[in-house]
Amino acid sequence: MVSTGAYGTWPSPIDARLAASHDGRPEFVGTVGDEVWWTEPRPAEAGRRALVRRRADGSTDSVLPAPWNVRSRVIEYGGRPWAGAIRADGGPLVVFVDFTDQRLYAHAPDGPGEPWPLTPLSDVGDGLRWADPQLHLDRGEQGEVWCVLEEFTGERPTDVRRVIAAVPLDGSAAEDRGAVRELTDDGHRFVTGPKLSPDGRRVAWIAWDHPRMPWDGTEVMLADLADDGTFHDARSFGGGPEESVPQIEWAADGQLLYASDRSGWWNLYRADLNGGTVALCPREEEFGGPLWRVGLSWFRPLANGLIATIHGKGTTTLGILDPETGELADIAGPWTEWAETLAVHGSRIVGVAASPRSAYEIVELDTATGRTRIIGAQHRDEVDPAYYPEPRQRTFTGPDGREVHAQIYPPRHPGRVGPDGELPPYVVWAHGGPTGHAALVLDLEIAYFTSRGIGVAEVNYGGSTGYGRTYRNRLREQWGVVDVEDCAAVARALVAEGAADPDRLAVRGGSAGGWTAAASLTGTDVYACGTVIYPILDLTGWGTDETHDFESQYLESLVGPLAEVPERYRSRSPINHTDRLATPFLLLQGLDDVICPPVQCERFLAAIEGRGIPHAYLTFAGESHGFRRADTMIRALEAEFSLYAQTFGIDRPDVPHLELKK
């Protein structure tokens, strides 16, 4: 039976606890012998990431018990935190980064011992950090692991250096920094882990420098490898200031495969070491993405010469590319988004994929048989899927006739409809990054709202990835303008279509999306309220010494050079326009956040003191950039809904009341 109920009042089995328990996704898949391994979120275990192995018999278990937390902090967003191999005795060996102390550890999970540390601690700044490890059991006396070393040289976030280093597996460097062998110098600010050529004679890696971000321009570096394991004659082999190369791999014949956006789209190329380059499948699609973390992968070469590749425009799929003919065959299946992680073993390809009806799960394709199956983190419907939203991919028209891409999630409930004549409230979601993308996948946080009668519009505003470099570059020096305008254009279009209530619109976002949300509240009259999550609110402060090294010069491209356009920094910052703020808002902030620190929120709140604007500020100890603990996510989601209920006049006594101060 379907009954009528006011939008926002509908009962739903998707509560905040269920949404929190499914937050996060599997990451960093790899193979160890015939087994598939990956990291997986554990919101109920203080938000740690577990390392999971799937044995050959199909059983899965966590490699390390709590509180081991397999997560790197290199460039703060981290990177690939583990690598595994089979030892001479036939057992697995894994090296991993533990989040608590950021040391690199080794562990033989089938043996009797505990993990042993491989790297030392440092009391300088934020110490020593490691990412993108690659095991070389045949190098050194007992083997080595090559990886990215991030070393702080002072107390400021920008007092840091990054090099490629070799760490002995015998633990001799655990108390001796001198036993870590540096393989590169300080020639570049940022580096990825080195890839060893099939003949063992050369290594390649990616490097870039401030003020560029990796989606602006990177270099492919190539060096000769001497018999003693040292790098020689390091030189730039490809890429450049206006060419982004996010991934490189060696083909079996010794040619270098890489993704580059030289054509305006991240496409795949093959280069021989004499400099000859061939485009393998030129298309107006993305075969790569933004390198937010060290060690991401969008493609992998197979032993038979074919290439497994994630590709698409807006959404992504997994395809098998024949580099000789350029033919690309996509796999069958419901998935609309493949995460930036792939592994291959023999004829098998393993990745992480999701759809509008399923969360991220581990998917395996056997290219020998064409069979695809889910082998880990399998999605299970804990409620009737009739409560899930049905997204609609839309392209709207923004200012100057420009295209604006979005996913629209109307309210949906199997037993409720809204009253005749009533339009639903909508929340406009601005994704983070801002060089990022809102994926078309099942998100129970979205379902939490839509199943209660509140629509959600996820906007891939100008600057988003997935639509080519020209679309990304739309945000250059226009952050706080284009993103705000595009989100408002979607909201206004929904109103004009008669799909949304013009008086009950909200905006929300986290990180860079928090900036867009705050800038929308202080710069437009579209929204009745907003949720601002670990935001940037003061460009001048954030662009000087209030963030980490990786993004410390991001604003050079997003806003412009601070020394040349200081007034632009001031005029666009929400903190300088609190006099325009007239709507209720909710601020959510992790107290351990070094990317968007609490001081930004504190200054904003001081600026509105005494203004009589209803607001709430919730802080969470132990949380950094991106909430990971179940209790945090539950509190945050319920507080957000309470804000909308109070602002939109929705009666929800079953949701904890959020106290709004004035």
Side-chain angles (χ1 to χ4, degrees):
M1 296 290 293
V2 176
S3 60
T4 299
Y7 289 109
T9 67
W10 302 346
S12 173
I14 303 173
D15 59 13
R17 186 169 300 279
L18 179 62
S21 69
H22 289 267
D23 193 81
R25 68 186 187 195
E27 295 178 329
F28 299 114
V29 295
T31 59
V32 182
D34 291 329
E35 299 181 356
V36 178
W37 294 33
W38 63 87
T39 67
E40 195 170 278
R42 294 284 190 269
E45 298 177 21
R48 79 178 184 106
R49 291 201 71 90
L51 182 60
V52 177
R53 66 189 291 193
R54 183 186 187 275
R55 301 176 187 271
D57 63 5
S59 62
T60 61
D61 60 71
S62 181
V63 177
L64 300 156
W68 290 106
N69 187 354
V70 183
R71 180 178 154 216
S72 169
R73 283 187 62 187
V74 165
I75 67 169
E76 291 303 342
Y77 291 109
R80 187 173 183 88
W82 75 275
I86 299 298
R87 299 174 298 172
D89 63 5
L93 175 72
V94 62
V95 296
F96 66 93
V97 178
D98 183 63
F99 179 75
T100 303
D101 59 14
Q102 286 298 291
R103 296 175 88 178
L104 195 65
Y105 288 82
H107 181 46
D110 292 345
E114 295 293 315
W116 64 91
L118 299 180
T119 57
L121 296 169
S122 171
D123 58 3
V124 178
D126 280 334
L128 302 174
R129 299 173 177 176
W130 313 85
D132 206 7
Q134 292 156 49
L135 277 168
H136 296 282
L137 300 183
D138 57 344
R139 295 193 173 273
E141 294 185 4
Q142 297 188 40
E144 292 181 328
V145 54
W146 293 359
C147 50
V148 174
L149 161 60
E150 182 177 79
E151 180 174 27
F152 282 81
T153 59
E155 297 302 319
R156 296 184 306 170
T158 53
D159 293 337
V160 63
R161 60 191 292 268
R162 297 175 188 88
V163 296
I164 296 171
V167 177
L169 288 173
D170 61 5
S172 58
E175 304 296 335
D176 180 10
R177 171 66 177 80
V180 175
R181 192 164 60 90
E182 295 191 9
L183 300 174
T184 60
D185 57 23
D186 294 341
H188 292 282
R189 190 73 170 186
F190 303 95
V191 293
T192 64
K195 300 293 181 70
L196 183 63
S197 65
D199 62 7
R201 297 172 54 194
R202 295 178 178 86
V203 288
W205 66 96
I206 298 170
W208 69 97
D209 293 289
H210 284 321
R212 296 193 306 272
M213 299 301 286
W215 41 87
D216 296 326
T218 58
E219 291 183 74
V220 178
M221 301 299 297
L222 189 68
D224 299 325
L225 182 65
D227 291 340
D228 63 358
T230 56
F231 293 6
H232 292 275
D233 189 25
R235 64 268 191 196
S236 177
F237 182 73
E242 294 295 326
E243 180 181 352
S244 169
V245 177
Q247 185 189 352
I248 54 174
E249 299 289 341
W250 291 99
D253 61 2
Q255 297 191 85
L256 198 62
L257 306 173
Y258 61 96
S260 165
D261 69 350
R262 64 176 60 176
S263 70
W265 297 82
W266 275 304
N267 279 190
L268 296 184
Y269 296 83
R270 180 179 61 205
D272 61 47
L273 299 189
N274 295 320
T277 301
V278 176
L280 300 181
C281 186
R283 292 188 181 189
E284 290 190 350
E285 292 185 20
E286 304 284 37
F287 290 73
L291 194 63
W292 276 102
R293 292 178 294 171
V294 180
L296 300 180
S297 59
W298 292 264
F299 69 92
R300 293 287 187 190
L302 295 161
N304 60 8
L306 301 178
I307 301 171
T309 179
I310 297 166
H311 70 98
K313 181 179 179 181
T315 59
T316 57
T317 190
L318 176 64
I320 308 300
L321 173 65
D322 184 336
E324 302 305 322
T325 65
E327 293 181 3
L328 182 63
D330 293 339
I331 71 167
W335 304 287
T336 52
E337 186 73 17
W338 288 74
E340 55 279 270
T341 179
L342 283 178
V344 297
H345 180 64
S347 64
R348 293 186 298 158
I349 304 165
V350 183
V352 178
S355 79
R357 308 293 286 178
S358 59
Y360 286 95
E361 46 199 359
I362 310 296
V363 180
E364 178 190 78
L365 167 68
D366 189 334
T367 59
T369 64
R371 180 189 177 196
T372 303
R373 59 175 181 158
I374 300 165
I375 62 170
Q378 184 170 8
H379 173 80
R380 291 179 174 82
D381 292 318
E382 297 192 31
V383 300
D384 186 341
Y387 288 95
Y388 297 162
E390 290 186 343
R392 302 168 185 170
Q393 282 188 287
R394 298 281 306 276
T395 300
F396 295 89
T397 301
D400 302 320
R402 64 179 183 249
E403 290 186 345
V404 181
H405 302 288
Q407 278 106 231
I408 307 303
Y409 297 82
R412 183 171 186 254
H413 191 290
R416 294 289 191 279
V417 294
D420 290 341
E422 181 182 345
L423 295 174
Y426 260 83
V427 184
V428 173
W429 284 28
H431 64 71
T435 310
H437 184 82
L440 184 68
V441 299
L442 176 63
D443 184 337
L444 290 187
E445 282 198 7
I446 292 177
Y448 175 84
F449 292 106
T450 58
S451 63
R452 285 166 169 75
I454 296 178
V456 171
E458 281 190 307
V459 183
N460 281 311
Y461 47 81
S464 301
T465 57
Y467 308 97
R469 184 159 184 140
T470 299
Y471 197 84
R472 290 204 318 273
N473 285 350
R474 217 183 259 177
L475 207 58
R476 282 200 167 188
E477 299 196 358
Q478 295 298 311
W479 196 36
V481 179
V482 165
D483 50 325
V484 171
E485 290 177 346
D486 286 0
C487 287
V490 171
R492 290 187 174 113
L494 292 175
V495 169
E497 294 170 0
D501 186 337
D503 298 322
R504 295 194 293 174
L505 298 173
V507 62
R508 73 100 84 164
S511 189
W515 153 270
T516 301
S520 297
L521 293 177
T522 57
T524 76
D525 60 359
V526 174
Y527 309 101
C529 62
T531 301
V532 182
I533 310 168
Y534 36 83
I536 300 160
L537 299 166
D538 176 6
L539 290 177
T540 304
W542 198 81
T544 51
D545 61 356
E546 288 181 2
T547 192
H548 61 141
D549 183 64
F550 176 60
E551 293 179 276
S552 61
Q553 296 185 38
Y554 195 6
L555 299 183
E556 294 282 301
S557 60
L558 289 176
V559 182
L562 177 58
E564 298 176 15
V565 290
E567 180 54 34
R568 189 182 296 169
Y569 280 63
R570 288 190 291 271
S571 65
R572 290 195 192 163
S573 295
I575 196 169
N576 296 321
H577 297 293
T578 55
D579 58 313
R580 304 176 185 171
L581 185 63
T583 56
F585 67 92
L586 168 65
L587 272 178
L588 301 169
Q589 178 69 49
L591 293 179
D592 294 346
D593 194 338
V594 298
I595 296 173
C596 295
V599 66
Q600 292 260 322
C601 289
E602 292 161 4
R603 282 207 301 272
F604 188 82
L605 292 172
I608 67 159
E609 188 172 358
R611 290 275 320 284
I613 301 170
H615 69 277
Y617 179 44
L618 303 183
T619 60
F620 302 96
E623 292 282 14
S624 53
H625 200 66
F627 299 152
R628 291 174 173 82
R629 302 184 178 194
D631 54 351
T632 299
M633 292 183 283
I634 292 168
R635 177 72 176 110
L637 194 57
E638 291 179 338
E640 182 179 354
F641 189 81
S642 181
L643 170 71
Y644 304 150
Q646 293 180 58
T647 306
F648 298 155
I650 299 169
D651 184 21
R652 290 306 299 237
D654 58 320
V655 176
H657 180 76
L658 174 70
E659 181 182 354
L660 297 175
K661 301 178 181 178
K662 293 185 178 181

